[in-house]
Amino acid sequence: MAFPFDINQIFLERVTLLDQTLVAGNRKSTERPDLLEHIVTVIDELGRASAKAQQLTTPITSASKLQSQKHQLYLLKDVESHRGHGMVVGFLKVGYKKLFLLDRQGVHIEAEPMCVLDFYIAENFQRHGYGSELFDFMLQHNNLEPVLMAYDRPSPKFLSFLAKKYWLTQSVPQVNNFVVFEGFFLNKTVAQLRKVPLKKPDGEIKPYAVMEREVVNQEQRALPWPFPLPHSPQRSVSSQSSNSLSVGSSPSRVPLQVTSASAVAGNRDSPQSPLTERCRARRTSSLNRSKLGFH
C-alpha cells in the first residue's frame, strides 16, 4: 500500500513492532505530531483493507483500538517501492486472550495463549513470501510454535497458509470463533492450560419477599395467642438464631418484653394462665356448694 508520505522516514526497520504507544521505534514520532498522525493513518488504512478482504462490516484493527488494548502489531514494509519512499506490505496483530476451549475428549480447558487476531498482506504483494517472512518474525520474537497459538476467525486463505507452511491441518472443534490445532493441549506449560471445574446445578432461589413472608408465617405458627407479633422479621430471626449480643443491644430489655407479654396474657384471661385456672376452679367450687345447700 502506497501513502502520500515517506514510509521509510516513519518506519525505520523492515519489520516494525507497534504497541499502545504507537512510537514505532522512532523517537522523532513523539516529538513530531505529524509523524504520529501518519502512523495512525497507516494503521487505520490497513485495518479497513483487512476488513474488506475478510468481508467484515467493521474493522477489527485501528489505531484507537491498538492504544486501548495490550496487543502487538507487526508491520512489514518494502523499502525500495514507490520511488524509494517505501510501501507497506501488510501487518500481523497478536495478543494474549483468556479462552475457554474444548480438548479432544470434550473437557473444558481455560487457557490464555498468544492469539493471532488479524493478518493481512496487500493483494499486490501476496504469493511472494511476505506472509511467511512476517509470521516467522513474530514467532521468533515471541519464541513460539504456531501449534501453541489460537487463531481468531481465520479466513480460508489463512488456513491454507497454515497448512502449507506449518502443517497445521487437524483442528479441534470449538464453540467460539477461535481455532486451535492438535498438539495445542500437549504442552500445558506453554499454553497455560487448566481444567475448568463443572458448575454445580443451582438450587431453587426464592425471591427475598417470599423468604420474608415465610419467616413471618413461621413466627405466627410458633407464637401462641395472645403474644404480640414482632414488628420486624429481621429482629425475630436474629433473636431466635443467636443469644449473643451485638453492638448496641441491651440485655435488660429482653426480660421486660417477656414480663410485659405475660402480664398482657394474664389481663386478657388467657387459657394458658395459672391465675385464670384458679379463678375458674373457685367459681366452680362455689356453685357446687350452693347447689348442695352449703353457704
Side-chain angles (χ1 to χ4, degrees):
M1 297 179 64
F3 292 90
F5 40 81
D6 195 336
I7 292 297
N8 292 327
Q9 292 295 324
I10 302 174
F11 306 108
L12 304 181
E13 304 293 336
R14 180 173 176 84
V15 178
T16 300
L17 175 60
L18 296 173
D19 55 13
Q20 291 176 304
T21 62
L22 304 183
V23 173
N26 189 349
R27 296 180 180 179
K28 294 181 179 179
S29 60
T30 59
E31 302 173 357
R32 294 178 51 183
D34 58 324
L35 293 182
L36 184 60
E37 291 178 2
H38 293 336
I39 294 175
V40 172
T41 300
V42 171
I43 297 175
D44 291 344
E45 286 295 329
L46 288 172
R48 283 190 285 267
S50 177
K52 182 179 179 180
Q54 299 179 64
Q55 298 181 351
L56 302 177
T57 57
T58 305
I60 58 179
T61 299
S62 66
S64 60
K65 291 180 179 179
L66 187 62
Q67 288 177 308
S68 62
Q69 299 168 341
K70 295 182 179 180
H71 296 158
Q72 297 176 337
L73 189 145
Y74 295 85
L75 187 144
L76 176 64
K77 72 173 183 178
D78 186 346
V79 180
E80 299 178 355
S81 299
H82 196 50
R83 300 185 300 274
H85 295 292
M87 293 181 65
V88 178
V89 174
F91 75 97
L92 172 63
K93 186 174 73 172
V94 298
Y96 287 98
K97 289 275 189 178
K98 181 174 290 187
L99 304 176
F100 293 91
L101 305 171
L102 295 174
D103 63 8
R104 275 297 185 188
Q105 287 71 37
V107 178
H108 286 82
I109 302 294
E110 181 182 357
E112 193 172 3
M114 177 71 80
C115 303
V116 176
L117 305 174
D118 203 356
F119 187 26
Y120 172 73
I121 301 295
E123 284 75 6
N124 54 329
F125 288 101
Q126 293 181 7
R127 300 185 183 278
H128 289 81
Y130 290 106
S132 299
E133 179 184 354
L134 184 57
F135 205 89
D136 287 340
F137 184 93
M138 181 274 300
L139 292 175
Q140 293 177 7
H141 183 262
N142 292 281
N143 193 24
L144 278 175
E145 295 292 334
V147 71
L148 298 178
M149 301 183 69
Y151 302 86
D152 185 13
R153 292 172 292 185
S155 64
K157 284 186 177 181
F158 190 21
L159 291 175
S160 178
F161 167 81
L162 294 174
K164 181 180 179 181
K165 175 69 173 156
Y166 303 105
W167 304 282
L168 299 179
T169 57
Q170 300 297 324
S171 62
V172 182
Q174 302 297 323
V175 296
N176 51 24
N177 295 322
F178 285 84
V179 172
V180 293
F181 295 91
E182 288 187 351
F184 176 86
F185 301 98
L186 298 181
N187 193 331
K188 296 184 179 181
T189 302
V190 178
Q192 300 177 6
L193 308 178
R194 71 180 183 90
K195 293 183 179 181
V196 179
L198 296 177
K199 184 179 180 181
K200 296 181 180 181
D202 296 331
E204 182 182 359
I205 301 177
K206 299 181 180 180
Y208 177 77
V210 175
M211 297 176 65
E212 188 175 272
R213 288 196 297 269
E214 289 185 355
V215 172
V216 175
N217 293 335
Q218 291 177 2
E219 290 178 349
Q220 291 177 348
R221 291 192 296 267
L223 293 177
W225 183 89
F227 284 92
L229 294 177
H231 297 286
S232 172
Q234 290 82 357
R235 183 183 302 175
S236 176
V237 171
S238 62
S239 62
Q240 292 179 3
S241 60
S242 174
N243 293 326
S244 62
L245 299 178
S246 60
V247 177
S249 62
S250 176
S252 61
R253 294 183 180 180
V254 178
L256 291 178
Q257 292 179 357
V258 176
T259 304
S260 60
S262 302
V264 173
N267 293 336
R268 295 182 59 177
D269 293 338
S270 170
Q272 289 79 10
S273 173
L275 180 60
T276 304
E277 294 297 331
R278 289 197 296 270
C279 292
R280 289 180 178 177
R282 290 179 181 177
R283 288 198 298 268
T284 302
S285 177
S286 300
L287 290 175
N288 293 334
R289 294 177 63 182
S290 298
K291 292 179 180 181
L292 294 175
F294 296 101
H295 296 284

